[in-house]
Amino acid sequence: MKPLMVKVFLLVLVFSVYSYAQEATENQPNNPTAEERLEELKGQLEGMNETLIEMQNTLNSLSKMKISGYIQADFKNFDYAQNNYDMRNRFNVRRGRLKFTYTNGLTQFVYQLQASETGVESKDLYMEITEPWLKSFKYTMGLFIRPFGYETPFSSSAMEYPERAKVVTTMLPGEEDLGAMLSYEPENGFLSFLNFKAGLFTGNGIKAETDNYKDIIGRLGYKFAFEEQNIALDGGFSFYLGNVRPDDGKKVIELKNNSVVEKTGEKKAERTYFGADLQLYFPLPFIDEMLGSSILRAEVITGKHPGTSSSSNYYTVGSGDVYLREFLGYYISFVQNLDLKNQLVVKYDVYDPNTNVSGDDLGKSIAGTTIKTNKADVIYSTLGFGLVHHWSPNVKFTLYYDMIKNETSKNLSGYDKDIKDNILTFRMQYSF
């Protein structure tokens, strides 16, 4: 190779090596300083703290939320046909409840749904606040359980029998109503044996408001414990002072045994109840150690109730003339724990929708008028008994038989003898 070409080749080679080294140096990252590395770690820690704080806030919110519920699936056998196809037994979902409760300190929000094979509806939807000083007074507003008697607010999932007494389901259909309530429930002090609830309600249950009238409902309760005797006593006195609005142009007719009071142009009809209830928890002598404790419950309700000509059910708009009846209803139940998982239940309840008429007077005209008493005035008594088995903390089985008796009258068609309407219920309940 010629000397000139050798020199050129060496010059190109040196330039190429230099260029490659320069490029490699430029592409290599600078070594971070200690301060830069510290700032980088600090930023990573702050990001982790923000994530942890966000997670903690989420967990705190979830810890304030409680979800509970239950389902009651029934199989019923009837003595009488339920439809034109002579159906005498059926499956149904009696109650399916899902309840959300959010508690934040002294405030609470509750929403409960009820579902069955026929649809879904709201049962509870209310807010509640507790005063921060004594923590004994609470204010509740929305859709919630009426503070009347014992069975109305008694949870359906805890009942040992399938249904509430007939007087309760007739006078107070459903358990909830729209309104506002103030309650006093002291945990300590010399008045801790007392509790009181009272409020204003629409009187329409879960239905929308239809008039300007508000019903006053309340209960004064008490509780005593006798530890040496292993006995506890609870009870209360309830009142319901309200009115319903008759349809325009309709009468208010008050039924008596020998007279009828008819009023035209009335803007309201009286709805007044008074009640007393008692619950006794005690051991039966000599056998309580083998069987367990016993529970005795009783409740009586009386007053004036607005119904229709053919029914003592609660009067609603569009029902025509209002028929006012003086009524009386009561029940007594006995629950005997057989062991830790089984209970024996006996219950007797009576509902008299019209205390001014009975027997063969049913079906007759009143005081020479064209108004006759009818099936809406018939007395019903029910003797029920059954067994409850707690399969697990979540699952409960109930086998219960209702023997229903109606008042008879030779002057009332279809009621000259007792109607066959007994019911056998087998229920499975799952709660959580």
Side-chain angles (χ1 to χ4, degrees):
M1 184 178 293
K2 294 183 180 182
L4 180 58
M5 295 179 66
V6 171
K7 291 180 180 180
V8 173
F9 177 76
L10 291 176
L11 183 61
V12 172
L13 180 62
V14 170
F15 181 76
S16 298
V17 171
Y18 175 78
S19 299
Y20 177 78
Q22 183 69 23
E23 183 179 355
T25 301
E26 291 177 355
N27 293 334
Q28 183 177 359
N30 295 327
N31 291 328
T33 64
E35 291 182 358
E36 291 174 338
R37 296 178 66 181
L38 183 61
E39 288 296 324
E40 182 179 357
L41 289 173
K42 183 179 178 180
Q44 293 176 355
L45 288 173
E46 289 178 351
M48 292 176 63
N49 286 335
E50 290 177 358
T51 302
L52 288 173
I53 291 173
E54 184 177 349
M55 292 176 62
Q56 185 63 46
N57 290 336
T58 302
L59 289 174
N60 288 339
S61 297
L62 290 175
S63 66
K64 298 174 183 178
M65 173 69 76
K66 178 184 177 182
I67 301 176
S68 59
Y70 63 93
I71 180 174
Q72 295 173 340
D74 287 0
F75 174 78
K76 290 183 179 293
N77 189 78
F78 304 89
D79 281 353
Y80 55 100
Q82 295 294 292
N83 56 24
N84 294 332
Y85 300 100
D86 196 31
M87 184 184 75
R88 295 177 182 269
N89 59 75
R90 74 177 183 211
F91 286 102
N92 74 293
V93 175
R94 178 61 183 89
R95 299 177 182 92
R97 304 281 177 87
L98 185 61
K99 186 176 183 180
F100 302 89
T101 305
Y102 183 85
T103 304
N104 186 13
L106 298 175
T107 63
Q108 190 175 78
F109 167 83
V110 176
Y111 180 42
Q112 182 173 204
L113 290 167
Q114 173 167 287
S116 69
E117 69 272 20
T118 60
V120 180
E121 64 180 359
S122 296
K123 289 295 289 183
D124 290 289
L125 182 56
Y126 65 87
M127 305 155 287
E128 185 174 86
I129 58 174
T130 303
E131 51 82 17
W133 303 282
L134 300 174
K135 298 180 181 178
S136 298
F137 291 92
K138 294 181 180 180
Y139 179 72
T140 309
M141 194 168 185
L143 178 63
F144 54 95
I145 294 176
R146 305 179 187 95
F148 188 97
Y150 178 79
E151 271 203 343
T152 296
F154 189 33
S155 174
S156 304
S157 64
M159 288 194 309
E160 298 87 359
Y161 29 82
E163 304 298 336
R164 293 172 173 85
K166 189 172 180 62
V167 64
V168 176
T169 58
T170 305
M171 300 299 106
L172 301 159
E175 295 84 56
E176 290 80 12
D177 205 340
L178 278 166
M181 178 179 71
L182 184 66
S183 58
Y184 174 65
E185 299 178 80
E187 295 184 359
N188 302 300
F190 70 98
L191 291 178
S192 59
F193 70 97
L194 289 176
N195 58 83
F196 180 72
K197 295 181 179 181
L200 289 175
F201 296 85
T202 65
N204 290 331
I206 62 174
K207 297 179 182 178
E209 180 77 89
T210 58
D211 55 45
N212 292 322
Y213 304 129
K214 300 296 179 289
D215 297 348
I216 303 173
I217 309 174
R219 180 179 183 268
L220 175 63
Y222 58 86
K223 54 184 178 180
F224 299 100
F226 307 94
E227 296 181 0
E228 293 184 2
Q229 293 79 16
N230 197 23
I231 294 175
L233 177 66
D234 295 351
F237 302 95
S238 303
F239 59 90
Y240 189 121
L241 308 175
N243 297 281
V244 299
R245 181 178 67 84
D247 292 337
D248 293 338
K250 299 301 179 180
K251 300 177 181 178
V252 176
I253 302 171
E254 186 169 357
L255 300 178
K256 299 289 186 179
N257 187 18
N258 297 314
S259 64
V260 174
V261 178
E262 295 187 52
K263 299 179 181 179
T264 304
E266 290 292 304
K267 299 297 183 181
K268 59 184 178 181
E270 180 183 357
R271 188 183 189 198
T272 306
Y273 310 156
F274 296 98
D277 62 88
L278 179 70
Q279 303 85 50
L280 179 64
Y281 307 86
F282 62 99
L284 284 176
F286 310 113
I287 63 173
D288 61 296
E289 294 183 1
M290 294 183 295
L291 297 181
S293 60
S294 308
I295 307 171
L296 186 66
R297 302 187 184 108
E299 185 171 358
V300 59
I301 305 173
T302 188
K304 286 186 179 181
H305 180 65
T308 65
S309 61
S310 60
S311 174
S312 65
N313 290 334
Y314 176 55
Y315 182 90
T316 57
V317 175
S319 299
D321 291 335
V322 178
Y323 281 72
L324 275 180
R325 298 177 175 92
E326 296 179 3
F327 74 93
L328 172 66
Y330 59 90
Y331 69 84
I332 183 169
S333 67
F334 176 74
V335 180
Q336 177 62 53
N337 294 324
L338 302 179
D339 50 37
L340 295 178
K341 289 192 172 184
N342 297 288
Q343 295 173 299
L344 172 67
V345 187
V346 180
K347 182 181 181 182
Y348 181 69
D349 79 74
V350 175
Y351 171 54
D352 184 353
N354 188 349
T355 58
N356 290 302
V357 63
S358 62
D360 288 337
D361 287 334
L362 288 167
K364 289 183 178 180
S365 297
I366 301 177
T369 67
T370 58
I371 297 175
K372 291 184 177 182
T373 53
N374 53 57
K375 63 180 182 180
D377 306 281
V378 172
I379 300 174
Y380 284 89
S381 62
T382 303
L383 175 62
F385 52 90
L387 289 171
V388 180
H389 175 66
H390 298 266
W391 176 272
S392 70
N394 303 100
V395 178
K396 180 173 72 172
F397 292 95
T398 302
L399 182 64
Y400 198 86
Y401 189 65
D402 281 307
M403 296 190 300
I404 305 170
K405 300 291 184 181
N406 57 266
E407 187 178 17
T408 61
S409 172
K410 64 182 181 181
N411 296 308
L412 184 58
S413 177
Y415 289 84
D416 56 331
K417 61 181 179 180
D418 181 52
I419 299 172
K420 292 184 178 181
D421 50 1
N422 296 346
I423 304 173
L424 176 66
T425 302
F426 175 70
R427 171 174 294 174
M428 179 179 179
Q429 173 180 298
Y430 190 95
S431 59
F432 63 93

